Amino acid sequence: MGRSGGTEWDSGTGTHPDGARTGAAHETPEPWQAPSTRESRMLWWGSAALVLAVLGTSVLVAGEGRGGRLPLAEVLVLAQVCALRWQTRAPATVLAAHAATGLTLWALLPAVTLTGALLAAQITLCVLSALRPPRTSARALAAMCAPAPLALVTGGTADLVLCLLAPALAWTLGQWRRTQRERARAELRRALAEERERLAREVHDVVAHTLSVMVVQAGAAEDVFAEQPAQARQALRAIETGARSALGELRTMLRAFRPEVAEEGPAAPRHPGARLARLAELADPVRATGMTVHVHHEGILDGLPAAVDLAAYRIVQEALTNALRHAADADEVSVRVRAERDCVNITVTDNGRPGHGRSALTGGGRGLVGMRERARLLGGSLRAGPRSGGGFEVAARLPVERVS
């Protein structure tokens, strides 16, 4: 339900972790582990600022009066800062480059200390530990600890301990971050499984109702087939319409019960009355809190496939709940539903204050995850994120195959 993490507009094209690969032979991060562009940029800026502030200052102090060594040392520091740009894409390669330049820098200016000269390498080791399998990062940790005895030359036992401790702490921090990401991934998969199960139960109710009506209509057609053929033909046409609708719902249910869904969530309540025809009723609980709610719909809502009708209702319901719980200082929310011939477009916006943790969900929380999964199972798309002028917007597009 929360809105945490970096801003991302999700088109429902699949950020699913099922295809993740592991192994030391791959330099490219696994899809589910790769940080977003925004995260990579922030990591680069932060680590570059740290290297410039700490190592850059140390080089200036230690290189004073060293003649031609200082310019070369400064070039090495700038090379490390530039290499940090690619540490999330190729952490092993960047780590090797940082280790080489760091050792060269220390050889030029021993007063910098070996631990300080390898600061950029330690940062990249942390990133490598978070993005790569433990076997790969453990080998990198061992390689980082190998030059530690050199610290005895200039700093004694204290520098030796520091040279061993700093890489170990960096590797441990990376492992902690990796565990966090794996836990978030497991939570996402669990949320998706629960949403698919709930959707399948709701579709089951719709299909069961449709089939029951078809049985009654078939019996009625048989009773009047000889005496009132026109009425019998009308019943048969209704059976055909119901059968087409039921087949569409069954396809949706089969997509929901895919093989990778193995977990069983708690039973969810069934709401057969959840339809777009009752859209205005969704606004009443929100209005009761003092928030102004505008509801507007265009087009014909009757005749929509039950799965699309239900999914649209649930998306609006969850978007209103999000606005109520997470919109900072919001006092107005607008709901617009437009039914076209081949799709249903849904837009829910509020006027909450920008920022304040209000960004699109990339992994934590279940509200937007559930909405995206509903849209995806129907072959549609959903995007959610802050608006440039303030507030938050949820926009969904659900394809429709109307029953003829």
Side-chain angles (χ1 to χ4, degrees), residues 277-321:
R278 302 178 60 186
L279 187 61
E281 298 179 16
L282 286 176
D284 293 338
V286 182
R287 289 192 180 105
T289 66
M291 184 179 292
T292 302
V293 182
H294 303 285
V295 179
H296 178 74
H297 65 83
E298 302 174 8
I300 301 175
L301 302 182
D302 294 335
L304 292 173
V308 175
D309 199 356
L310 179 61
Y313 181 92
R314 293 299 187 201
I315 288 172
V316 173
Q317 183 180 46
E318 190 63 45
L320 286 173
T321 302

Side-chain angles (χ1 to χ4, degrees), residues 373-396:
E373 183 65 6
R374 281 184 177 272
R376 192 189 68 82
L377 287 175
L378 294 173
S381 61
L382 184 141
R383 65 182 189 272
R387 297 189 298 168
S388 57
F392 197 87
E393 178 180 87
V394 175

Side-chain angles (χ1 to χ4, degrees), residues 262-277:
E263 301 182 32
E264 293 187 1
R270 303 181 181 184
H271 299 281
R275 301 175 61 248
L276 284 178

Side-chain angles (χ1 to χ4, degrees), residues 41-93:
R41 189 181 299 115
M42 291 182 63
L43 178 61
W44 178 36
W45 290 346
S47 55
L50 180 62
V51 171
L52 284 175
V54 177
L55 182 56
T57 302
S58 299
V59 166
L60 290 176
V61 173
E64 187 176 0
R66 291 285 181 168
R69 294 187 178 186
L70 180 58
L72 180 56
E74 292 175 341
V75 170
L76 291 174
V77 172
L78 292 177
Q80 290 186 352
V81 171
C82 293
L84 288 170
R85 180 67 179 86
W86 294 277
Q87 63 181 342
T88 57
R89 298 181 184 178
T93 302

Side-chain angles (χ1 to χ4, degrees), residues 5 13 39 49 61 65 96 102 224 278-279 281 294 320 335 348-349 366:
T13 54
E39 289 176 328
V61 173
V224 300
R278 302 178 60 186
L279 187 61
E281 298 179 16
H294 303 285
L320 286 173
V335 178
V348 181
T349 58
R366 300 191 177 188

Side-chain angles (χ1 to χ4, degrees), residues 206-222 235-247 250:
V206 172
V207 172
H209 170 74
T210 302
L211 292 178
S212 298
V213 172
M214 289 169 58
V215 170
V216 173
Q217 290 171 336
E222 182 180 8
L236 291 175
R237 282 194 295 269
I239 292 173
E240 180 187 8
T241 300
R244 291 181 180 179
S245 176
L247 285 174
L250 285 173

